[in-house]
Amino acid sequence: MGLHPLEFSECYLDSPGFREKIKAHEAELDKTNRFIKELYKDGKNLINATKQLVLAQRKFAQSLGEFQFEYIGDAKTDDERCIDESLQEFSNFLKNLEDQRELMMRNITETLMKPLEKFRKEQLGSAKAERKKYEKETEKYYSSLEKHLNMSAKKKEPQLQEADSQVEAIRQHFQEESLDYVCKLQEIQERKKFDCVEPMLAFFQTVFTFYHQGFELANDFNHYKKALQINIQNTRTRFEGTRVEVFELMKRIREVPQEYRQTSPISSEGYLYVQEKRPPPFGSSWVKRYCTFVKEQKILHMVTFDHRSGGKMGETESVTLKSCVRKTTDMLDRRFCLDIEITDRPGTVLTVQSLSEDDHKFWIHAMGGKEPAGQYLGKTYSKERGIDAQLDDVGLSFVKNAINAIETRGINDQGLYRVVGVSSKVQKLLSLMIDAKSNDVDLSTCEDWDVKTITSTLKLYLRSLPEPLMTYGLYKDFIAPAKGGSPESRSQAIHCLVHKLPEKNCLVLGLLMKHLATVAAHSKLNLMTVANLGVVFGPTLMRPQEDTVAAIMDLKFQNIVVEILIEQHEKIFGDVPDTSSPGLSAPTRQSKKLSVRQNRPLAVYNPQTVDLQTVSPSSPDVGSNSDEASLGSNESVSSQSSGATASGTPPEKANHAPLLASLSTGDSPGACIAVAASWLNSGALTKASSDGDKTVDGVTGGGGKKAMAVYPCEAEHESELSFQVGAIFSAVAPSKEPGWLEGELEGKKGLIPENYVEML
């Protein structure tokens, strides 16, 4: 068993056992506090590590985007152009991915880190403060009590009375603090179930959204990738062919290098060492220069270049050649020298030295000789009191009258049964309707009473009955199947129990469930889903005879019972139950549709209408002015706290696809959490209305609708259809199975996962 409920009555006894229970609750909250602190620390580390990853990825993307391939030649092929642009495409892809990752990190901070830290500081912190206050009051009370008991009985009566009064005041204050502390402990124990888990749900939604965005980016990139692969293959093929040619040329040049000495009819070029004469006594020096001789103008361009200095290029000097004469070794003790007479400076002779004998001959020929030269062959690349409400004919008449009026006048009103009427008006109408002398008012045509007053009066009548409509005696029996078993066994057990109710109770319950099913069928407009109606009517129709904290903990199971009654009202109230079937036995797996429906979705989670569609423990029913009573206070139990549900979720296929794309990049933290909860609610279908129409996410029943598949699907049951992306379905209509549609594909009819298609 988990933590024991802390009964308020025990606050006055303050037994050792009670104190042990409190210690257990405190220890659990301490454990939760440590868990959140550690999780917060790990989350910070995760965020910081991810930020570093983002920075590294962005730097990598920047490097890719800044680099550009240079090509050989004076133009690029189409393949080379695409390859050249590919790095920028890769860079943009990584930047888009990191944009999504940064968005994920911001959403994680807003939807996980901040809510958890807020819960720890505000809720667990307030519990810690209350704990210190409680311990202080305990010490004060018991110290005062001991001091009081040690007081001499011989003291005067007024002194004794005054001491008694002081101790009594301290005792009362201590007990009040005890009540507040016990209430706070249990409140936080219950709050943590959703205040801690909901942010984590939003966290995973955010993570899945990020991965889905990556998947979408990859899909967008796929076409470009295929084209680039072709470009790369073409370029590789060309490279291999060119590579062979290059090696062949290299081989030939190795064999006869002089035949491939680069030359042209216009100019000749190569390295020459030029003698630079200095004034005595410094002598002269030889400087290596790269020379280009233009034959027609007889101009020799010389630029200083030293390979050993990192290839630094010096200034260029140009001279006009007049004549060139071989310099013999007897005149200069160096080989391969030439004396060049220049016209720019008459009488000046420039002495240069070639690199070898062959190079010497080359320059003599280039500057006027007749020696042959080869050709270069290279290539390029919420209870009520004081009202005598009875389940009699008058009461039955009122129920019918109210239902008729609500369905006639306000079936589409937003927040039907959630928005309450003014207390004084509700009390007045109920007194009028249960008075046999004045209950002949037709509420469907009487404009004196608005719809919210009628709905509040109907709920007040049901709560004011001497015994709940579903009786005290059967309360535990109704609750039991909701706490376990399969959807089928729950339905069977409740079906049998309903027929054990007194005849009039069963009649009124049947009328009410049929009506609530009609309300739920209009949930697209009134926002009251089956789950929301379960929250409102669970405590109204059934409650235990004793008012204890433990009983309050069963509210969520009451809601489940009412949900089952609404969803299956036709079978439960229309057919006699099969008593031969055990109520809680496990069902056989007849089909996939039954075996996969384990948990029914909760209330529709819409951030724009959250006050009408979800019920908060801290929020009273919505009213119209300050005279409103808290008529529905026991309705204010959050639908989110429901640990088990009525009949099961839609098939998984109705849950996967759209959840990953449902979180828009600009959503606020609250909206992010709402979207995450909507994931759990996806696939919920409204029930059939009285005229037979059905609505599925805005699709009205009809025979001519078409839909297109946006995700591929492989059938897991013979009643389902298999299809690929882009398949077109005809005769698409809502199915009785939540989360599915019925349609036809290539002449075959079957079930289609609702979230796998888009309506055309």
Side-chain angles (χ1 to χ4, degrees):
M1 181 176 177
L3 295 173
H4 291 274
L6 301 175
E7 300 294 346
F8 293 128
S9 57
E10 294 189 65
C11 294
Y12 296 87
L13 188 59
D14 200 17
S15 65
F18 175 64
R19 287 289 179 151
E20 288 300 318
K21 292 178 183 178
I22 289 180
K23 285 183 180 179
H25 279 262
E26 291 171 345
E28 176 61 24
L29 293 184
D30 288 341
K31 183 177 74 174
T32 303
N33 184 61
R34 290 192 300 271
F35 162 71
I36 294 177
K37 287 179 70 175
E38 189 67 24
L39 189 66
Y40 187 84
K41 178 182 176 182
D42 292 341
K44 282 290 187 182
N45 291 337
L46 173 62
I47 291 174
N48 290 334
T50 304
K51 286 181 179 178
Q52 292 302 316
L53 173 61
V54 170
L55 289 175
Q57 291 271 53
R58 288 196 181 279
K59 181 63 174 68
F60 183 72
Q62 182 182 356
S63 298
L64 282 177
E66 290 176 350
F67 183 80
Q68 189 172 9
F69 287 111
E70 292 294 341
Y71 59 95
I72 300 174
D74 59 358
K76 303 176 185 178
T77 65
D78 291 340
D79 294 319
E80 290 173 330
R81 190 175 294 108
C82 290
I83 290 173
D84 190 29
E85 295 168 355
S86 65
L87 297 186
Q88 189 62 47
E89 291 291 332
F90 298 152
S91 176
N92 292 337
F93 175 82
L94 282 177
K95 288 177 182 178
N96 289 336
L97 190 63
E98 295 315 305
D99 287 343
Q100 297 300 325
R101 198 191 305 275
E102 285 190 333
L103 177 62
M104 176 183 72
M105 286 299 101
R106 290 197 298 270
N107 285 338
I108 287 174
T109 299
E110 296 296 327
T111 62
L112 176 65
M113 307 299 291
K114 288 184 178 180
L116 286 178
E117 187 65 3
K118 181 180 179 182
F119 174 80
R120 190 183 72 82
K121 290 182 177 180
E122 294 182 1
Q123 299 298 327
L124 298 180
S126 64
K128 189 174 182 180
E130 288 288 338
R131 179 178 178 177
K132 291 181 179 179
K133 192 175 179 181
Y134 177 63
E135 290 172 349
K136 182 178 178 181
E137 291 299 326
T138 299
E139 178 66 23
K140 182 179 178 181
Y141 168 62
Y142 285 107
S143 295
S144 299
L145 182 61
E146 289 178 6
K147 183 178 179 181
H148 178 66
L149 294 175
N150 290 328
M151 182 180 290
S152 174
K154 295 179 180 181
K155 289 193 175 186
K156 295 180 180 181
E157 187 63 26
Q159 290 180 320
L160 295 175
Q161 289 178 353
E162 182 181 355
D164 290 344
S165 299
Q166 290 177 351
V167 171
E168 179 62 20
I170 295 173
R171 181 186 64 81
Q172 290 179 358
H173 186 68
F174 163 69
Q175 291 173 344
E176 288 174 0
E177 287 296 332
S178 180
L179 289 170
D180 290 339
Y181 184 49
V182 164
C183 183
K184 187 69 175 180
L185 283 176
Q186 295 184 127
E187 178 188 337
I188 297 176
Q189 294 289 7
E190 290 302 305
R191 285 181 66 90
K192 70 180 183 182
K193 297 176 184 176
F194 50 88
D195 276 355
C196 290
V197 175
E198 191 174 46
M200 296 178 193
L201 176 63
F203 163 75
F204 280 100
Q205 168 67 13
T206 301
V207 172
F208 294 152
T209 300
F210 167 71
Y211 286 116
H212 181 72
Q213 292 293 339
F215 174 76
E216 290 298 324
L217 284 172
N219 278 344
D220 294 340
F221 189 73
N222 193 50
H223 177 74
Y224 177 77
K225 179 192 73 175
K226 291 180 179 178
L228 184 60
Q229 285 173 330
I230 295 173
N231 300 140
I232 292 172
Q233 184 58 44
N234 290 341
T235 304
R236 177 179 285 111
T237 301
R238 296 191 190 103
F239 165 76
E240 293 298 337
T242 305
R243 186 166 177 263
V244 171
E245 292 294 326
V246 168
F247 276 101
E248 286 293 328
L249 174 60
M250 185 173 64
K251 180 180 178 181
R252 293 195 297 268
I253 290 178
R254 277 200 181 117
E255 293 173 352
V256 283
Q258 287 303 317
E259 292 185 9
Y260 294 88
R261 178 70 182 263
Q262 183 173 354
T263 186
S264 75
I266 300 173
S267 65
S268 298
E269 52 190 286
Y271 283 99
L272 289 171
Y273 280 83
V274 179
Q275 184 183 36
E276 294 185 354
K277 294 179 180 180
R278 300 179 182 178
F282 300 105
S284 62
S285 63
W286 294 84
V287 181
K288 184 177 69 173
R289 297 192 174 185
Y290 190 78
C291 301
T292 302
F293 180 69
V294 182
K295 295 178 181 179
E296 187 175 349
Q297 289 86 17
K298 291 188 176 183
I299 297 175
L300 181 65
H301 302 285
M302 299 177 292
V303 56
T304 303
F305 187 82
D306 190 349
H307 295 85
R308 293 172 299 182
S309 63
K312 184 177 180 180
M313 186 178 294
E315 295 181 356
T316 300
E317 181 183 0
S318 300
V319 296
T320 303
L321 180 69
K322 181 178 180 181
S323 64
C324 175
V325 179
R326 178 194 293 267
K327 195 174 186 72
T328 60
T329 56
D330 57 346
M331 298 176 63
L332 182 65
D333 192 17
R334 295 180 78 99
R335 299 185 301 164
F336 324 130
C337 292
L338 296 168
D339 279 342
I340 300 172
E341 187 180 357
I342 56 178
T343 60
D344 307 67
R345 292 170 290 188
T348 302
V349 176
L350 187 66
T351 302
V352 297
Q353 182 184 25
S354 57
L355 308 182
S356 65
E357 184 63 34
D358 290 338
D359 191 52
H360 189 228
K361 293 178 181 179
F362 168 78
W363 283 109
I364 291 177
H365 175 74
M367 294 179 184
K370 297 181 180 179
E371 295 179 11
Q375 298 265 327
Y376 177 68
L377 303 178
K379 299 181 182 179
T380 60
Y381 181 71
S382 119
K383 271 184 179 183
E384 295 298 323
R385 301 292 179 189
I387 298 177
D388 187 22
Q390 299 294 328
L391 195 62
D392 52 14
D393 292 337
V394 174
L396 178 59
S397 176
F398 164 62
V399 171
K400 292 179 179 179
N401 192 351
I403 289 174
N404 182 50
I406 295 166
E407 293 183 358
T408 302
R409 297 169 52 193
I411 195 67
N412 292 325
D413 290 3
Q414 285 194 11
L416 193 64
Y417 286 110
R418 279 287 294 118
V419 179
V420 300
V422 178
S423 177
S424 55
K425 289 185 178 181
V426 173
Q427 296 278 352
K428 184 177 179 180
L429 179 58
L430 182 57
S431 298
L432 178 67
M433 299 311 296
I434 63 177
D435 186 350
K437 298 178 181 180
S438 58
N439 69 339
D440 55 350
V441 178
D442 186 355
L443 296 175
S444 63
T445 58
C446 180
E447 297 294 333
D448 295 336
W449 309 101
D450 55 25
V451 174
K452 64 182 180 181
T453 301
I454 298 173
T455 57
S456 296
T457 304
L458 180 56
K459 290 188 294 180
L460 178 58
Y461 165 75
L462 294 170
R463 286 197 301 271
S464 302
L465 292 173
E467 184 178 38
L469 196 61
M470 296 173 70
T471 73
Y472 290 130
L474 292 175
Y475 173 80
K476 292 183 179 179
D477 294 332
F478 274 114
I479 290 294
K483 292 184 176 180
S486 66
E488 293 172 324
S489 62
R490 292 178 189 173
S491 177
Q492 288 177 358
I494 291 173
H495 191 178
C496 293
L497 291 169
V498 165
H499 288 266
K500 292 181 180 181
L501 290 171
E503 182 178 353
K504 191 155 291 186
N505 294 57
C506 188
L507 175 60
V508 173
L509 187 62
L511 290 172
L512 186 62
M513 292 304 108
K514 180 180 178 181
H515 163 64
L516 295 182
T518 302
V519 172
H522 292 77
S523 63
K524 286 293 180 181
L525 297 174
N526 60 37
L527 309 180
M528 294 303 292
T529 62
V530 172
N532 284 339
L533 292 170
V535 171
V536 174
F537 282 91
T540 300
L541 300 177
M542 57 187 301
R543 59 182 180 271
Q545 199 158 9
E546 68 280 7
D547 287 327
T548 64
V549 174
I552 294 175
M553 297 299 105
D554 283 340
L555 276 174
K556 50 186 171 284
F557 303 110
Q558 298 170 19
N559 303 342
I560 296 168
V561 174
V562 174
E563 289 175 29
I564 295 173
L565 291 172
I566 296 173
E567 291 182 326
Q568 303 186 34
H569 71 281
E570 292 181 349
K571 177 182 178 181
I572 292 174
F573 297 95
D575 300 333
V576 177
D578 182 7
T579 56
S580 62
S581 300
L584 293 174
S585 61
T588 56
R589 291 186 136 198
Q590 299 177 4
S591 69
K592 175 181 179 290
K593 291 185 289 181
L594 293 177
S595 64
V596 300
R597 300 175 65 211
Q598 296 301 317
N599 291 307
R600 188 186 174 282
L602 300 177
V604 174
Y605 203 121
N606 185 329
Q608 276 70 45
T609 54
V610 65
D611 289 337
L612 298 178
Q613 298 193 69
T614 59
V615 190
S616 169
S618 59
S619 302
D621 286 344
V622 181
S624 58
N625 65 27
S626 59
D627 192 30
E628 293 169 0
S630 181
L631 298 177
S633 62
N634 62 352
E635 298 160 15
S636 57
V637 177
S638 173
S639 62
Q640 298 172 52
S641 66
S642 179
T645 52
S647 60
T649 54
E652 288 185 357
K653 289 176 183 173
N655 288 333
H656 292 332
L659 84 90
L660 296 175
S662 64
L663 188 61
S664 65
T665 57
D667 281 336
S668 64
C672 295
I673 296 177
V675 170
S678 296
W679 163 34
L680 297 179
N681 301 332
S682 64
L685 300 179
T686 56
K687 283 292 177 180
S689 63
S690 56
D691 59 0
D693 289 338
K694 297 181 181 179
T695 303
V696 183
D697 289 347
V699 180
T700 306
K705 295 203 174 284
K706 292 186 177 181
M708 181 180 70
V710 294
Y711 297 91
C713 175
E714 185 69 24
E716 298 176 9
H717 191 273
E718 61 184 3
S719 63
E720 299 174 19
L721 293 175
S722 294
F723 50 85
Q724 297 298 321
V725 175
I728 303 298
F729 305 89
S730 59
V732 179
S735 169
K736 293 182 180 180
E737 182 68 14
W740 297 76
L741 300 173
E742 295 177 355
E744 183 174 341
L745 176 64
E746 299 177 350
K748 182 180 178 181
K749 294 182 178 180
L751 293 174
I752 308 163
E754 178 192 344
N755 294 333
Y756 276 44
V757 300
E758 288 182 353
M759 300 306 298
L760 300 178

